[in-house]
Amino acid sequence: MEKILTVSVAAYNLGELIEKNLESFVKCKQLEKIEVLVIDDGSKDDTYDRVMKYVNIYPKSIKIIKQENAGPGSTINTALKNASGKYFRLVDGDDWIDSENLDKLISNLQNVDVDMIINDFYVYDDENQKIKNIVTFDIEKEKVLNPRQFNPKIDLLMHGTIYKTELFKKNNIIFDNGFYTDLEYLIYPIPYVEKIIYYNFPIYFYRVGREGQSISIYSKLKHLDMHETVLYNLINYYEDAIKKLDNNLVICVRNKILAMSTGNLNILLAKDKVNVNEVKQFNLNIRNKSEEIYKHYKFKSQCIPISY
């Protein structure tokens, strides 16, 4: 049966959490139309064995690909090489989905042909073991829109975004291997998006507050080089392929890059000993890559001025 959706699940040492992820998929009534590709990125625990239990029971829908540890971004590249679904989305291995609403989405996607799907999603507080809030979007629901009709103030987020698979494959989109490539996932397909639709029901459970997450300040300090690499990639891509577009998605992308730029500045300022020269060099790098991004960044961040 033709797969409507391919889901890329990145898994690294998630033996205690991956079963909750997979259970949420196998509860779907339309599982036969879904392809879940678990990319085991060199786990040292029992992640592979736990996933294989599901592969053995649901071999037409649950698959696992084991690779040497190469980083979260590499798992997206691997999944795309093997994806057969019409649409493609990411779900982190420590997160999960709303089975009933995913069924609803699959039914809807069989009746439309779009490039980009926006969905609401849950934010789940791991410390208190409850839903913290539901993220919604100010978009006209269930109407196919073009990029000029899109609300430019929308904050694009991986947990609420699905793309047509061919946008990645046809345009040879490849991701950096490291962390923070969910932002590349959001931005790289933008130049090829012509049709967008929004469904105002939540699908994704985004877990926050778990120790060791890449969004923690400790992790961001540890992986600062990866954060900057992805940021510079996105600024270059903005200059080369996105700012030339005449639509509202350009503003969305610019705002996303600005948020990442000020976020990177905050990481630099969070160090025990702030290196002023390092901060100035970061500001200079942004200006050299994009005068436009730098102009907005300088205003937004009140950044340390560059001196010569």
Side-chain angles (χ1 to χ4, degrees):
M1 177 177 289
E2 180 184 3
K3 300 296 184 181
I4 302 298
L5 177 67
T6 292
V7 181
S8 172
V9 177
Y12 176 71
N13 290 347
L14 289 177
E16 296 182 358
L17 298 171
I18 195 66
E19 290 186 6
K20 184 175 183 67
N21 175 293
L22 295 178
E23 279 293 327
S24 68
F25 286 105
V26 301
K27 289 178 182 177
C28 293
K29 295 178 181 177
Q30 302 201 69
L31 180 61
E32 74 278 1
K33 298 172 185 175
I34 303 168
E35 175 182 58
V36 180
L37 300 179
V38 181
I39 314 301
D40 183 351
D41 192 35
S43 295
K44 305 300 183 183
D45 65 356
D46 62 348
T47 295
Y48 182 84
D49 293 334
R50 290 183 186 238
V51 176
M52 278 304 301
K53 291 190 298 183
Y54 290 86
V55 173
N56 291 332
I57 300 171
Y58 309 98
K60 293 183 179 180
S61 292
I62 311 291
K63 301 177 182 178
I64 186 167
I65 301 171
K66 190 171 182 63
Q67 63 180 34
E68 294 295 322
N69 181 256
S74 72
T75 69
I76 310 175
N77 293 327
T78 299
L80 279 169
K81 290 178 183 177
N82 293 275
S84 63
K86 180 177 180 180
Y87 297 100
F88 183 88
R89 77 155 304 140
L90 308 181
V91 175
D92 287 338
D94 55 348
D95 296 331
W96 66 99
I97 56 94
D98 182 315
S99 310
E100 185 176 340
N101 283 346
L102 183 57
D103 276 328
K104 185 177 178 181
L105 176 69
I106 295 299
S107 294
N108 287 341
L109 292 183
Q110 292 177 87
N111 299 311
V112 297
D113 184 37
V114 294
D115 302 305
M116 182 183 193
I117 301 108
I118 305 292
N119 265 110
D120 298 344
F121 64 91
Y122 304 98
V123 178
Y124 181 84
D125 185 342
D126 195 58
E127 183 176 357
N128 295 308
Q129 298 288 294
K130 65 180 182 179
I131 295 171
K132 186 176 181 179
N133 66 291
I134 299 176
V135 176
T136 62
F137 299 90
D138 184 16
I139 312 172
E140 187 172 358
K141 65 180 181 179
E142 299 192 23
K143 179 181 178 181
V144 178
L145 306 172
N146 65 51
R148 290 188 179 184
Q149 297 171 307
F150 196 72
N151 184 346
K153 296 181 181 180
I154 293 298
D155 183 14
L156 295 175
L157 297 162
M158 179 274 281
H159 317 91
T161 306
I162 301 170
Y163 286 109
K164 183 180 285 186
T165 306
E166 72 173 27
L167 267 62
F168 298 99
K169 291 194 173 187
K170 185 177 179 180
N171 298 291
N172 298 315
I173 293 175
I174 299 175
F175 301 92
D176 189 84
N177 282 344
F179 288 87
Y180 312 110
T181 45
D182 57 320
L183 292 161
E184 292 180 326
Y185 165 84
L186 280 172
I187 292 174
Y188 283 170
I190 291 297
Y192 315 107
V193 170
E194 297 179 357
K195 297 178 181 180
I196 309 162
I197 197 165
Y198 167 57
Y199 296 113
N200 66 325
F201 48 88
I203 292 176
Y204 195 113
F205 281 89
Y206 171 42
R207 187 196 302 262
V208 297
R210 185 174 73 83
E211 185 178 353
Q213 283 184 296
S214 61
I215 60 172
S216 70
I217 189 62
Y218 170 78
S219 181
K220 288 180 178 179
L221 284 167
K222 182 179 179 181
H223 302 296
L224 176 61
D225 56 335
M226 295 183 187
H227 195 275
E228 290 189 352
T229 295
V230 171
L231 172 60
Y232 296 150
N233 287 346
L234 295 178
I235 293 176
N236 291 337
Y237 195 66
Y238 177 82
E239 286 289 313
D240 293 342
I242 293 179
K243 67 183 282 188
K244 303 177 181 65
L245 302 174
D246 182 22
N247 64 59
N248 289 338
L249 285 175
V250 175
I251 300 173
C252 293
V253 171
R254 187 182 69 203
N255 289 341
K256 203 70 186 173
I257 293 174
L258 285 172
M260 192 176 185
S261 300
T262 55
N264 200 96
L265 175 63
N266 288 335
I267 298 171
L268 291 172
L269 297 177
K271 291 184 174 183
D272 291 335
K273 293 183 179 180
V274 176
N275 186 326
V276 175
N277 289 330
E278 185 180 27
V279 174
K280 288 182 178 181
Q281 184 60 54
F282 172 68
N283 295 339
L284 180 61
N285 290 344
I286 293 180
R287 195 183 78 170
N288 288 342
K289 289 179 179 298
S290 173
E291 288 285 354
E292 181 184 357
I293 294 292
Y294 179 73
K295 177 182 69 175
H296 292 279
Y297 161 78
K298 184 177 180 181
F299 173 79
K300 188 174 182 179
S301 66
Q302 298 295 306
C303 61
I304 299 172
I306 300 170
S307 59
Y308 298 94

